């Protein structure tokens, strides 16, 4: 089975995935309750079924309802989505993506953030594996 491609999600599907990740698991009713401008219950059920077909969620039955859970850790999904964004908007150039982020006035980086980025860049220059923890 191939990994789901987070870059292939619609805006509404991403919103649903955010809810499922935040809660750990969610029913269709939970999603309807949490979604801004939620579509109908049946539309949410259809979207959850599509997300399951795409491999982003799986479900377990709990009584009469289905609880949907993510099929991969949030960080793995974020990495997949970011790769897709870098390919689509930055021609595959991570450097262009990072430059855009750090030069954006809305993106404020603390001295600690800048020190961490500097260390990651230095580690990468020396061929050291970069820790995937982006907190």
């Amino acid at each position: 089975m191939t990994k789901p491609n987070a870059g292939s999600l619609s805006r509404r599907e991403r919103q649903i995935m955010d809810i499922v990740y935040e809660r750990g698991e969610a029913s269709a009713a939970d999603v309807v309750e949490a979604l801004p401008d939620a579509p109908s219950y049946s539309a949410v059920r259809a979207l959850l079924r599509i997300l399951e077909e795409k491999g982003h969620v799986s479900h377990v039955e709990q009584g009469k309802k289905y609880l949907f859970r993510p099929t991969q850790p949030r960080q793995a999904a974020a990495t997949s989505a970011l790769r897709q964004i870098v390919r689509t908007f930055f021609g595959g150039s991570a450097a262009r993506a990072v430059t855009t982020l750090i030069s954006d006035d809305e993106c404020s980086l603390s001295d600690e953030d800048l020190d961490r980025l500097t260390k990651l860049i230095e580690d990468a220059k020396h061929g050291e594996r970069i820790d995937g923890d982006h907190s």
Side-chain angles (χ1 to χ4, degrees):
M1 183 173 141
T2 61
K3 288 184 181 178
N5 179 358
S8 68
L9 297 177
S10 70
R11 177 185 62 85
R12 189 60 92 179
E13 289 169 341
R14 282 192 308 275
Q15 289 175 321
I16 291 171
M17 288 305 301
D18 285 344
I19 293 163
V20 173
Y21 274 118
E22 183 179 303
R23 294 174 180 231
E25 64 183 19
S27 68
D30 295 332
V31 172
V32 168
E33 181 182 300
L35 270 177
D37 302 320
S40 69
Y41 176 81
S42 60
V44 168
R45 283 183 46 209
L47 286 164
L48 284 163
R49 189 174 56 251
I50 290 167
L51 286 166
E52 190 165 28
E53 288 169 4
K54 289 181 174 183
H56 293 282
V57 296
S58 61
H59 75 270
V60 294
E61 291 184 46
Q62 186 178 69
K64 292 184 178 184
K65 67 181 176 181
Y66 284 4
L67 292 177
F68 293 87
R69 298 176 177 158
T71 58
Q72 61 180 339
R74 187 177 200 130
Q75 186 58 48
T79 298
S80 173
L82 186 56
R83 283 185 184 131
Q84 180 67 31
I85 289 168
V86 170
R87 278 193 302 271
T88 302
F89 295 103
F90 300 98
S93 170
R96 285 179 46 207
V98 170
T99 300
T100 299
L101 281 171
I102 63 175
S103 63
D104 186 342
D105 291 337
E106 291 183 27
C107 179
S108 60
L109 295 171
S110 67
D111 287 344
E112 184 179 292
D113 291 335
L114 292 169
D115 289 344
R116 184 163 181 350
L117 288 171
T118 300
K119 181 180 179 339
L120 289 169
I121 291 167
E122 286 303 315
D123 289 351
K125 279 182 181 179
H126 295 101
E128 296 177 26
R129 180 146 166 59
I130 297 176
D131 177 12
D133 178 15
H134 303 292
S135 53

